[in-house]
Amino acid sequence: MLGGGPYTTESDNRGPFLTARRADVAVVGGGPIGLAVAWRAASRGMRVLLHDPRPGSGASAVAAGMLAPVAEASFGEEELTRLLLDSAARWPDFAVEVAAAAGLAGSAELGFRTEGTLVVGRTADDLAEARRLWSYQQGLGLPITALNATELHDREPLLAPRVRGGAHAPDDHQVDPRRLVAALRTAAESAGVVFVPSTVRGLDEIDAGTVVVAAGCGAAELTGLPIRPVKGQILRLRAPGGEAPGFRHVIRGYADGRSVYLVPRHDGEVVVGATVEERGDTTVTAGGVRDLLHAATELVPELAEYELVEAVAGHRPGTPDNAPLIGPLAGRPQVVVATGHYRHGILLTPVTADLVVDLLASGVPDPVLAPFSPDRFDGYRSAPGLTGPGWDGPELAEPGLAHPELANRELAHPGLAASGPAREEIR
Amino acid sequence: MLGGGPYTTESDNRGPFLTARRADVAVVGGGPIGLAVAWRAASRGMRVLLHDPRPGSGASAVAAGMLAPVAEASFGEEELTRLLLDSAARWPDFAVEVAAAAGLAGSAELGFRTEGTLVVGRTADDLAEARRLWSYQQGLGLPITALNATELHDREPLLAPRVRGGAHAPDDHQVDPRRLVAALRTAAESAGVVFVPSTVRGLDEIDAGTVVVAAGCGAAELTGLPIRPVKGQILRLRAPGGEAPGFRHVIRGYADGRSVYLVPRHDGEVVVGATVEERGDTTVTAGGVRDLLHAATELVPELAEYELVEAVAGHRPGTPDNAPLIGPLAGRPQVVVATGHYRHGILLTPVTADLVVDLLASGVPDPVLAPFSPDRFDGYRSAPGLTGPGWDGPELAEPGLAHPELANRELAHPGLAASGPAREEIR
C-alpha cells in the first residue's frame, strides 16, 4: 500500500513499524521555484519531500508576475537576458501544463495573459531614458516596436494625454503569482510530493539523496552564499464596480524619473510596483506608497478612482551580480541551489525547474547553467560553513495593508525600525 | 436587589417574575455623543438603555480627534464657533471626568494633549489662504498668534524648510477618539447604562420616557431629518522604531492648495486627514491616499519614512448648514436629536451631552440650542414620517486598510461602486 510513497515497513523485536523511506529529493522552500522543481521531479518518478512551514508566503506573494524578458533586458546582462528569453519561451506551455495538472480549465485561470507590455514615457527625459534601453534591446534582436503618442493612445485610451511615446513588447506577458502558487501546490500534491510544514534550520537535518535549496533570501543562512534581501513595496488596486481594469497591456512607465509598472488582471486587480530598496525591513512606508501612487496616476489618471486594497513589502533575493544561483554547491554535489532570482523569479520558474530536474536526473549540470554557478562568488562567501543561524521559512513578506474586519480594529503591529537610506528608487 | 436597575419584579398567578422596567432614556447610537449622553444621564440617576449593535464603530473610529474651535472657525459661522468654543472650554474637565469614571490614571490616557495647533503654509498662495482665515479668527477675539518661518521651525524643527509662515492656536487641543470611546463605554457601564446590542429599525420599537437619537448618518432614516454622509478618507502612520513622532503640535497645513492635518500621538501614531467628499461610499481610493500622503510629506518630509498602518474611510453626518441638530423633534418632545455634527463630533461631545442631559432633566431646551434646533430645515424634510427603511447601527466605516495576518491573504472585498464626482478636496 505504501510501496510508492514516502514510508516503508520495517520490523524490530516488537513487530513491524512504519519508517520514512529516504526521499530522492528534498526541496527546501515552497515558492514557485521550489514547488515547480518538486512537481517536475515527482512527475519523473522521484520521491520528493518539500519543506516549508508556509508555502507561497515569500516573495511570490508580493510579486506582480510580469514575464518581461524584453523590457527587463539591461546593458551588460546578455547571459541573463538569454536565460530570461529561454524561460519566457517556455512559459506558454508551462502555464498550460500547470493548469492541467491542477485541474484548471486553462492557463487563463493562472492569470496568464499575452497582450504584451507597453513601455511609455511622459517627459522628454523619461522618454529618452526609455528609448536608450529599447534601442539596446532592438540591437539584441528582441521584439520591441517603437510607438508614437497616437499609436499608444489608440492601444490604451486611458494613458495620460501627456504620455509622449513608447514601445510595444508583444512577447512580454504576465501571470498572477498567487494563482500560480496555488496551482503548483495542487499539481505537486497530485504528483505525490509530500509537504513537510517544518522549519529547516540546517541542511544536515535533512536526509535525502539530493537537497534543493529554493529558499529565496533564506538560502543565505543555509548555504553561506551571498544573497541579500532587496526590499520591494507594491500595491494592489481594484477597479470600481467589480469591472475589469480599463486597460489591457502591462504598462511600464517613467514618470518624473521614476519607473513604475501597472499590471491589469481580468478579475479587476491592478498591481502597481515596485520600490527597489537595499534594506532588509518590510515596513510599508508613507513615502513608498506615495511615490507608487503618484507615478501610477501620472501614467493612467483614472487609477486615482480605483480602490487601494493592499500595500505590502517583500524581499527579492539579490546576488552580487543580480543573476540567479542555479546548480550544485561547490564541493557538495548533493546540494543543489536554485535561488538568487532577484526580480526574475516568476519569469525564471520554468527554465529553473527544468534545468534543476534535468540535473537531478542526470547528475550533470546543463552547460547553460555555467554563468549561474553558485560558486562564482567564492570570494564573497559570507560564512565558511553550511550551518547559519537557521532558516525559518521563506523570507516572510510584511503582512502589509489589507481590509481588516473592522474599521476600528486596534493594530498591535509595532513600527519596524527603518534604519536604511531615506532615498527610495522605484523601478 | 434590582430596585435601581432596569428590571423590576412583578407577579402573576404563577408567582413573581422579572420584567424590564421602562427606561427613562433610550439612546440610539453608541458613538461618543450617544455614550456621553448615556453616561451623564445615568450619573444623574436616570435609567438608561443604549442601543447599538457595534458601539464606537461609526465615524468616531475614523476621526482624528482634533479639538480645534479656533482653527475650525469659518466665515459666517459665528453661532457654531461659539458652540465650538463652549465645548472646547469644557474639554479639559470632561477628559478628567471620563478618565476617572473609566478608572484611568488621567486624561492623558485618552490621548488628550494640549500643545496646541500650528497652522502653516508652504507657498505664498497657501499662506495667503491661511492668513485670511486666521485674521478673521483674530477678529473674533480667538487666541491665534502669527509666527514667521523661524519661529515655526524653532517650535517644530521637522517642518519642511519651505514652510514660509503660519500661526499658533494654543487652545486647539487633541484627543484619541478610539481611546475616548473605550473609556466612555466603561464609564457608562459603571454608571448603570444597559447596552442593548440590537439594531433599531424605527423609533416606535422603543419604549422609554425619552428617546435620544445620536445615530450619526443613521438618524436620517429614523427621523427624516436632512442628514447626508460626507465621506472622509484618513490615514494612520507610525513612527519608526516604536518612537513617539518627531513633532508635538497638531499641524494643519496648506500644500498646493490642499489642506491636510497631522495629529501626533504619544504612542507613535500620526493621523493624517482627511478628504472631504460629497459621496456615500466608503472606498479607500488611490487618489485619496496619494493626495493625503503627498500633502503630509510636503509639510513634514520625515513622514515619508513612517510606516503606513491604516487607510480608512468614514462618513461625517452633514446637515444643510453643516451645523448640528440638537434638541427635541418638532411635535415629538419625547424624541431628542443629537446628530449632524459633521466635522465637529468629537469636539462637540461635552457640550452636546451636557445640554441634552439638561434637557432630559428639565424638559426645557437651553436657549443656546436655538440655532441648532432640528426643525430649522422643515422645508428640507426628506421624509414626512419617522419610519424610514430602518437603521442598522451607526454609519459603518469602511474596514479600510490594515495589517492582515498574512501577506498573501486573498482579499475577497469587491470594489465598491465609485459613482461620485472624480474631484476630491482635502481639507
Side-chain angles (χ1 to χ4, degrees):
Chain A
M1 185 177 84
L2 292 161
Y7 298 97
T8 188
T9 306
E10 295 187 17
S11 294
D12 64 8
N13 56 5
R14 286 171 295 181
F17 62 95
L18 284 181
T19 187
R21 178 183 284 192
R22 189 165 191 255
D24 298 314
V25 178
V27 178
V28 182
I33 289 168
L35 287 166
V37 166
W39 167 53
R40 292 289 206 199
S43 300
R44 290 219 210 165
M46 302 179 206
R47 287 189 304 276
V48 183
L49 299 182
L50 189 147
H51 295 263
D52 195 323
R54 295 172 297 277
S57 64
S60 68
V62 178
M66 284 184 298
L67 306 173
V70 176
E72 286 279 340
S74 289
F75 300 103
E77 292 184 349
E78 286 84 354
E79 283 165 337
L80 178 58
T81 296
R82 271 196 294 275
L83 194 70
L84 297 175
L85 289 167
D86 183 348
S87 203
R90 297 173 195 236
W91 249 104
D93 287 346
F94 178 77
V96 168
E97 285 178 67
V98 173
L104 301 175
S107 58
E109 291 195 40
L110 305 178
F112 184 69
R113 292 180 64 171
T114 59
E115 288 90 341
T117 295
L118 296 181
V119 182
V120 304
R122 213 175 55 92
T123 67
D125 283 351
D126 293 336
L127 196 56
E129 170 74 14
R131 190 173 283 131
R132 203 170 65 93
L133 193 55
W134 84 59
S135 297
Y136 167 77
Q137 292 156 350
Q138 286 175 321
L140 293 180
L142 301 179
I144 186 161
T145 310
L147 300 176
N148 64 27
T150 303
E151 292 166 327
L152 283 170
H153 289 98
D154 284 348
R155 280 182 178 271
E156 291 295 2
L158 289 189
L159 279 171
R162 285 194 292 174
V163 166
R164 298 161 63 108
H168 182 225
D171 293 351
D172 281 11
H173 301 153
Q174 62 146 306
V175 72
D176 183 335
R178 296 176 182 178
R179 292 174 186 255
L180 172 66
V181 161
L184 279 170
R185 284 183 73 164
T186 304
E189 279 164 7
S190 300
V193 173
V194 175
F195 284 76
V196 185
S198 71
T199 297
V200 175
R201 304 201 178 282
L203 296 184
D204 49 4
E205 292 176 10
I206 298 176
D207 180 32
T210 306
V211 179
V212 177
V213 181
C217 291
E221 305 285 7
L222 290 171
T223 63
L225 289 168
I227 303 159
R228 72 189 193 288
V230 181
K231 176 179 171 181
Q233 300 187 52
I234 200 166
L235 311 177
R236 280 172 169 78
L237 311 184
R238 193 163 285 282
E243 304 281 319
F247 57 103
R248 302 173 301 115
H249 296 80
V250 173
I251 296 174
R252 298 169 67 104
Y254 297 81
D256 301 330
R258 295 175 185 280
S259 168
V260 68
Y261 54 79
L262 311 171
V263 183
R265 310 250 200 248
H266 283 304
D267 63 8
E269 184 175 275
V270 174
V271 182
V272 179
T275 68
V276 179
E277 305 167 63
E278 291 287 347
R279 49 201 285 180
D281 69 84
T282 48
T283 304
V284 172
T285 64
V289 174
R290 174 200 61 193
D291 291 346
L292 290 170
L293 289 175
H294 176 74
T297 55
E298 285 285 300
L299 295 179
V300 178
E302 187 185 80
L303 290 177
E305 286 300 302
Y306 281 39
E307 184 177 14
L308 174 61
V309 292
E310 188 181 303
V312 68
H315 289 152
R316 309 168 185 90
T319 63
D321 60 4
N322 286 336
L325 303 165
I326 309 172
L329 210 54
R332 292 199 54 178
Q334 80 284 15
V335 176
V336 173
V337 174
T339 185
H341 290 73
Y342 190 44
R343 302 173 60 187
H344 311 298
I346 305 296
L347 172 55
L348 289 176
T349 291
V351 76
T352 303
D354 289 346
L355 292 170
V356 166
V357 176
D358 285 347
L359 169 58
L360 294 173
S362 69
V364 182
D366 191 299
V368 77
L369 285 177
F372 309 108
S373 164
D375 60 11
R376 71 188 186 274
F377 304 116
D378 272 358
Y380 284 81
R381 281 278 178 112
S382 60
L386 298 175
T387 51
W391 179 66
D392 187 23
E395 194 64 24
L396 252 193
E398 171 71 1
L401 296 161
H403 286 277
E405 293 308 304
L406 287 175
N408 61 347
R409 170 176 162 186
E410 290 295 327
L411 296 166
H413 186 85
L416 295 175
S419 55
R423 177 175 160 279
E424 283 162 0
E425 175 195 4
I426 296 189
R427 289 182 56 186
Chain B
M1 188 177 80
L2 291 162
Y7 298 96
T8 189
T9 305
E10 294 186 18
S11 292
D12 65 9
N13 57 5
R14 286 170 296 178
F17 62 96
L18 285 180
T19 186
R21 179 182 284 190
R22 190 167 190 252
D24 299 314
V25 178
V27 177
V28 182
I33 289 169
L35 288 165
V37 165
W39 167 55
R40 291 292 207 197
S43 300
R44 290 217 208 168
M46 302 179 205
R47 288 189 302 276
V48 182
L49 298 183
L50 189 147
H51 295 263
D52 196 324
R54 295 173 297 276
S57 64
S60 70
V62 179
M66 284 185 297
L67 306 172
V70 176
E72 285 278 342
S74 290
F75 301 102
E77 292 184 350
E78 286 86 352
E79 283 164 336
L80 177 58
T81 296
R82 272 197 293 275
L83 193 71
L84 298 174
L85 288 166
D86 182 350
S87 202
R90 296 173 196 236
W91 248 104
D93 288 347
F94 178 77
V96 168
E97 286 179 66
V98 173
L104 302 175
S107 58
E109 291 195 41
L110 304 179
F112 184 69
R113 293 181 65 170
T114 59
E115 288 91 342
T117 295
L118 296 181
V119 181
V120 304
R122 212 175 55 93
T123 66
D125 283 349
D126 293 336
L127 196 55
E129 171 72 14
R131 191 173 281 131
R132 205 170 64 94
L133 193 56
W134 84 60
S135 297
Y136 167 77
Q137 293 156 350
Q138 286 176 320
L140 293 178
L142 302 179
I144 186 161
T145 310
L147 298 176
N148 64 29
T150 304
E151 292 166 325
L152 282 170
H153 289 97
D154 284 348
R155 281 183 177 271
E156 292 295 2
L158 289 190
L159 279 171
R162 285 194 291 173
V163 166
R164 299 161 62 109
H168 181 224
D171 293 352
D172 280 10
H173 301 153
Q174 62 144 306
V175 72
D176 184 335
R178 295 176 183 179
R179 292 173 185 257
L180 171 67
V181 161
L184 280 171
R185 285 183 71 164
T186 304
E189 279 165 6
S190 301
V193 173
V194 175
F195 285 76
V196 185
S198 69
T199 297
V200 175
R201 304 203 177 277
L203 296 183
D204 50 4
E205 292 177 9
I206 298 176
D207 180 31
T210 306
V211 179
V212 176
V213 182
C217 291
E221 304 286 6
L222 289 171
T223 65
L225 288 167
I227 303 160
R228 74 189 193 287
V230 181
K231 177 179 171 181
Q233 301 187 52
I234 200 165
L235 310 177
R236 281 174 169 78
L237 312 184
R238 192 162 287 280
E243 304 281 319
F247 58 101
R248 302 173 301 114
H249 297 78
V250 173
I251 296 174
R252 298 169 66 103
Y254 296 81
D256 301 329
R258 296 174 184 279
S259 169
V260 70
Y261 53 78
L262 311 172
V263 183
R265 312 250 199 247
H266 284 304
D267 63 9
E269 183 175 276
V270 174
V271 182
V272 179
T275 66
V276 179
E277 304 167 63
E278 293 286 348
R279 48 201 284 180
D281 69 86
T282 49
T283 305
V284 172
T285 63
V289 174
R290 174 199 62 193
D291 291 346
L292 290 170
L293 290 174
H294 176 76
T297 55
E298 285 286 298
L299 295 179
V300 179
E302 189 186 77
L303 290 177
E305 287 300 301
Y306 281 38
E307 184 178 14
L308 174 61
V309 293
E310 187 182 303
V312 68
H315 289 151
R316 310 169 185 89
T319 64
D321 60 3
N322 286 335
L325 303 165
I326 310 173
L329 209 55
R332 293 200 54 178
Q334 79 284 15
V335 176
V336 172
V337 174
T339 186
H341 289 73
Y342 190 44
R343 302 173 59 186
H344 311 299
I346 306 295
L347 171 56
L348 289 176
T349 291
V351 74
T352 303
D354 290 346
L355 292 170
V356 166
V357 175
D358 285 346
L359 169 59
L360 294 174
S362 70
V364 182
D366 191 299
V368 78
L369 284 177
F372 309 108
S373 165
D375 60 13
R376 69 186 187 276
F377 303 117
D378 274 358
Y380 285 82
R381 282 281 177 107
S382 59
L386 298 175
T387 50
W391 179 66
D392 188 24
E395 195 63 25
L396 253 193
E398 172 70 2
L401 294 162
H403 285 278
E405 293 309 304
L406 286 175
N408 61 348
R409 170 176 163 186
E410 290 294 326
L411 297 166
H413 186 83
L416 295 174
S419 54
R423 177 173 160 278
E424 283 161 359
E425 176 193 4
I426 296 189
R427 290 181 57 186

